[in-house]
Amino acid sequence: MRVRSPFPSRPSQRRHLAAPLAAVLMLPSFATVAAPPAVAVVQSPPLAPIQRALASPPGAKLEALPAVLAPVPNHDASLSLDIRLTDGRIFNPATGRYDHVRLRSYVPEGQAADPDTPFVAPTIAVLPGETVRIKLNNRLEPQPGCTPPNINTPHCFNSTNLHSHGLWVSPAGNSDNVLLTIRPNVSFEYEYNLPATHPAGTFWYHPHLHGSTALQVASGMAGALIVRGARVPTPQRNGDIDTLLRGADGQPFRERVVLLQQVPYACRDANGKIKTNPDGTWACGPDDVGEITDYGDQLGFGTWAPSGRYTSINGDILPRFDGAVAGRIERWRNLHAGIRDTIRLQFVPMRASANPLSLREAVDHAKWIGQNCVGDPLPQWEIATDGLTHAQIIRKTGVVLQPGYRSDSLMVFPAAGDYCVIDASVPASGSVSSDAESRRLLGTVRVAPGDAVGGDIGAYLQRQLVEAAGRWMPDDVKTRVVADLMADLRTGAFVPHAQITDGELTPGSGQKVEFDISGTPTQFMVNGKPYDPATYRDLVLGNVEEWTITSAAASHPFHIHVNPFEIVKVLDAQGNDLSLPGSPDPDYAGMKGTWKDTIFVKKGLRVIVRTRYERYIGEYVLHCHILDHEDQGMMQNVRVLLPDGQGGALVGGHGGHGSH
């Protein structure tokens, strides 16, 4: 018997808080233009319709799990996704109407795309120990002869593959193999065997074919991949923080999946030039269709801010989060699934009479926020980054999200009312664009009356978590968990990876990575060389190494597949460790000792991390997560080899020694 998890129909759930639109959007003819819309209410991305064998009762959703799971005879979880060119619309605050767009999208096979946000991919929810099968059906148009002489020239925009970003799975065969190519009219089934010890957390999926990655992700081809956790801690092993985050009724805290994306669509004139407004921002007329077709003028440095486009939340522009209640703890799973824009997420009380739709050109944002978003930013209590639970909850007033980052935070809104969701200003040194970024409004939160918190929100949160531990933790670990929470919100019983000590490091080992942009024509490089698919960085299974990562030109997010890393220190030119709690640099403060798979490397700093090469051999990549940099050569192949028993590695199984 196969049980089908339900897939919510987002069109029937989507709500707007005003009179119906004056015109009906008829796609794909685009003959009419929607009237100025009301504020869109944020909907969670749809839940992927995963097929499971006896995994749950008929009609059950894998959104929240009980503390104890029954044995599952068959651990397969299957999903089929089409990649299609879909017609939709994106609200443009500068004109007060929707722009029509045609974008590449993930859509569950056999289902219609959501006409409002067809490019928002479904959330995939899975369990440790499952075999997750994702069949990818490439329905895009063929592009014969699309491979250029230089592989680091963007190309073959309709060819693709799939990357499970952050998952600890094999990189080989039909698992998380980003070296595969899936051409149009080809279907291929990926198989991810999640180990039973896989961390529960927030991960994501997106294309990763060298040459087309950035254009496809910019089109919206990205979705949340959540590993649910139901393992309570024991005296012998740590558990999942999901088992703690429950209210008095036993239900999980309210959860919000927040997918942040930049979709740089453009409309072109008869000569192929991007249409612009008098101020230089990009324009689309009522009968135009916005598309993403070119790297040079849509994805490169210096294109996002002048475009006048907005970061979307779950496919909507300037939407409102509903359903929050004063004093009620919520879990926000924030994912930067875009290609541009450094986001510094803040929540600030909003003046009651403010109207977010009064915003027009981006130059008005700072003034509007200053007039309408008043008071200090609310604290956010970060419990995990990149899907990996912290040893201590970190208090932040602004969560910095670089491309590829995820941050799980607990939020408590202290009183009823509306709150601004702000992308706060960022200096040029902290921006992926290398330009200073001004404050922008992302959306709002409406909070209903509840148990208002008049005092210290941190003390209130601590009491609530201690009470949850008292209710839900087993007796043999309850005392430990409560004591940890009372000691500065420590969560050591839920950490998935042990700290790497000096004594664990493999003697004589170490790795260095330097990002660079130089040359004429411009080359994007790792360690002085652009990407070469025939060249590898060889590592040895079982080794534990320290890496030093730097950037010689601009700043870049470093990402490596398969094995995550522990942040050891981030050193400035004077040798100061910016990863310590209380550091003046918000990009790194409190990061020391945390685990990640993506880290922003500022020019002039040395980022030092440690990692274990565990379980898996095979080939994968490290790269800059400014994805157009990766497509143009800022990537390197990595190969994990079996040890040869003599301090080296077996290359090809014939006893050769790989460099390491």
Side-chain angles (χ1 to χ4, degrees):
M1 173 183 178
R2 299 187 67 81
V3 179
R4 183 183 178 90
S5 298
F7 182 72
S9 174
R10 297 184 78 243
S12 66
Q13 291 182 342
R14 182 166 296 280
R15 297 169 291 151
H16 291 82
L17 276 294
L21 299 179
V24 177
L25 187 64
M26 302 297 292
L27 299 175
S29 66
F30 306 128
T32 54
V33 181
V39 176
V41 175
V42 178
Q43 305 293 327
S44 293
L47 193 66
I50 293 178
Q51 302 280 351
R52 285 184 168 83
L54 305 178
S56 55
K61 295 182 181 180
L62 188 56
E63 291 182 335
L65 296 173
V68 179
L69 293 178
V72 180
N74 186 326
H75 295 272
D76 281 5
S78 300
L79 168 68
S80 186
L81 287 177
D82 286 349
I83 300 172
R84 309 178 197 162
L85 199 62
T86 57
D87 293 303
R89 61 185 191 173
I90 295 178
F91 177 57
N92 186 347
T95 60
R97 60 172 173 78
Y98 286 104
D99 289 336
H100 306 307
V101 294
R102 182 170 292 129
L103 301 169
R104 296 164 177 81
S105 307
Y106 290 123
V107 182
E109 184 180 19
Q111 296 195 4
D114 181 342
D116 284 335
T117 54
F119 52 89
V120 175
T123 295
I124 298 174
V126 298
L127 292 169
E130 284 193 318
T131 297
V132 181
R133 303 180 188 277
I134 301 178
K135 184 181 179 183
L136 210 58
N137 309 301
N138 189 346
R139 310 294 190 199
L140 300 175
E141 290 295 319
Q143 293 179 308
C146 61
T147 303
N150 181 358
I151 195 173
N152 294 318
T153 299
H155 59 281
C156 296
F157 300 152
N158 286 353
S159 296
T160 192
N161 60 25
L162 189 64
H163 173 42
S164 54
H165 185 126
L167 285 193
W168 186 43
V169 294
S170 170
N174 64 338
S175 186
D176 188 28
N177 186 345
V178 300
L179 303 178
L180 296 175
T181 299
I182 302 174
R183 296 292 190 200
N185 298 322
V186 173
S187 295
F188 181 80
E189 185 173 79
Y190 284 85
E191 180 180 302
Y192 305 117
N193 292 295
L194 274 66
T197 54
H198 195 288
T202 304
F203 307 95
W204 64 301
Y205 65 98
H206 61 83
H208 206 302
L209 181 63
H210 184 65
S212 65
T213 301
L215 187 138
Q216 292 181 4
V217 173
S219 187
M221 289 176 61
L225 200 170
I226 297 175
V227 180
R228 297 288 183 189
R231 299 163 294 196
V232 295
T234 71
Q236 292 76 37
R237 60 164 176 78
N238 288 349
D240 301 318
I241 201 166
D242 305 46
T243 62
L244 173 68
L245 304 181
R246 292 191 284 169
D249 59 359
Q251 294 301 308
F253 295 156
R254 172 154 191 167
E255 177 180 294
R256 299 185 190 269
V257 176
V258 181
L259 201 67
L260 299 160
Q261 295 172 290
Q262 296 84 44
V263 181
Y265 64 91
C267 300
R268 298 182 181 272
D269 61 21
N271 297 318
K273 300 292 186 182
I274 293 178
K275 294 183 176 181
T276 59
N277 297 304
D279 63 357
T281 58
W282 297 353
C284 285
D287 297 322
D288 290 331
V289 181
E291 296 182 290
I292 301 175
T293 57
D294 187 84
Y295 271 65
D297 59 2
Q298 285 183 275
L299 303 181
F301 263 139
T303 57
W304 174 250
S307 74
R309 300 293 181 240
Y310 290 71
T311 291
S312 63
I313 299 177
N314 296 350
D316 283 317
I317 305 297
L318 297 177
R320 192 178 78 203
F321 291 93
D322 270 3
V325 177
R328 187 173 296 174
I329 302 173
E330 296 187 347
R331 179 179 186 169
W332 288 58
R333 295 182 185 264
N334 304 305
L335 297 87
H336 193 316
I339 61 162
R340 283 289 173 219
D341 201 18
T342 294
I343 296 170
R344 189 179 178 201
L345 192 64
Q346 291 185 336
F347 298 85
V348 177
M350 187 171 76
R351 203 165 45 82
S353 59
N355 176 16
L357 289 179
S358 66
L359 285 171
R360 288 298 181 259
E361 290 83 3
V363 293
D364 292 335
H365 269 226
K367 181 179 178 181
W368 192 97
I369 293 170
Q371 292 174 340
N372 296 286
C373 304
V374 295
D376 296 328
L378 297 184
Q380 301 170 64
W381 306 89
E382 190 177 72
I383 60 173
T385 51
D386 294 357
L388 304 171
T389 302
H390 296 328
Q392 181 178 10
I393 298 175
I394 302 172
R395 181 188 187 276
K396 297 184 175 183
T397 55
V399 170
V400 178
L401 294 162
Q402 303 287 0
Y405 276 27
R406 286 90 66 212
S407 171
D408 285 44
S409 295
L410 301 181
M411 286 297 305
V412 177
F413 294 95
D418 288 343
Y419 293 79
C420 300
V421 184
I422 295 174
D423 178 4
S425 60
V426 175
S429 63
S431 167
V432 291
S433 67
S434 296
D435 293 321
E437 299 178 13
S438 59
R439 290 192 298 175
R440 300 199 78 179
L441 189 73
L442 295 175
T444 62
V445 182
R446 175 151 294 175
V447 180
D451 296 326
V453 181
D456 182 357
I457 297 177
Y460 174 84
L461 177 70
Q462 185 179 52
R463 288 195 301 272
Q464 296 294 312
L465 294 178
V466 167
E467 289 178 9
R471 291 189 190 100
W472 308 118
M473 292 296 100
D475 290 340
D476 52 2
V477 295
K478 185 180 299 183
T479 300
R480 172 195 170 194
V481 173
V482 168
D484 280 353
L485 290 168
M486 293 297 292
D488 300 322
L489 291 174
R490 298 189 182 278
T491 48
F494 306 100
V495 173
H497 298 292
Q499 179 184 8
I500 298 176
T501 63
D502 293 347
E504 192 181 347
L505 294 172
T506 301
S509 67
Q511 300 290 328
K512 295 185 183 298
V513 174
E514 182 178 72
F515 291 130
D516 196 9
I517 305 173
S518 64
T520 304
T522 302
Q523 289 189 309
F524 295 80
M525 299 180 289
V526 177
N527 289 3
K529 297 179 180 179
Y531 178 64
D532 178 358
T535 301
Y536 298 89
R537 178 188 297 262
D538 284 348
L539 308 173
V540 182
L541 185 69
N543 280 5
V544 181
E545 293 193 304
E546 187 167 277
W547 292 53
T548 300
I549 311 164
T550 57
S551 177
S555 302
H556 306 270
F558 166 85
H559 173 56
I560 189 167
H561 295 198
V562 185
N563 294 299
F565 48 80
E566 179 189 3
I567 306 298
V568 177
K569 49 193 170 184
V570 178
L571 301 178
D572 65 14
Q574 291 73 41
N576 300 308
D577 187 356
L578 303 179
S579 70
L580 290 168
S583 162
D585 192 326
D587 284 296
Y588 304 111
M591 197 178 278
K592 190 180 189 71
T594 63
W595 287 78
K596 291 177 63 63
D597 58 53
T598 309
I599 180 70
F600 190 56
V601 182
K602 294 182 180 180
K603 181 181 178 181
L605 302 184
R606 285 185 295 144
V607 176
I608 299 172
V609 305
R610 291 175 177 176
T611 185
R612 302 178 177 99
Y613 314 133
E614 297 183 296
R615 187 186 290 262
Y616 302 113
I617 59 173
E619 302 168 8
Y620 51 96
V621 295
L622 62 84
H623 59 90
C624 170
H625 219 284
I626 301 174
L627 293 176
D628 52 292
H629 291 186
E630 177 264 301
D631 280 329
Q632 296 176 87
M634 198 172 282
M635 183 167 78
Q636 184 182 70
N637 282 359
V638 176
R639 183 167 58 179
V640 177
L641 303 166
L642 287 171
D644 63 3
Q646 303 174 47
L650 291 172
V651 179
H654 300 294
H657 291 265
S659 62
H660 62 281

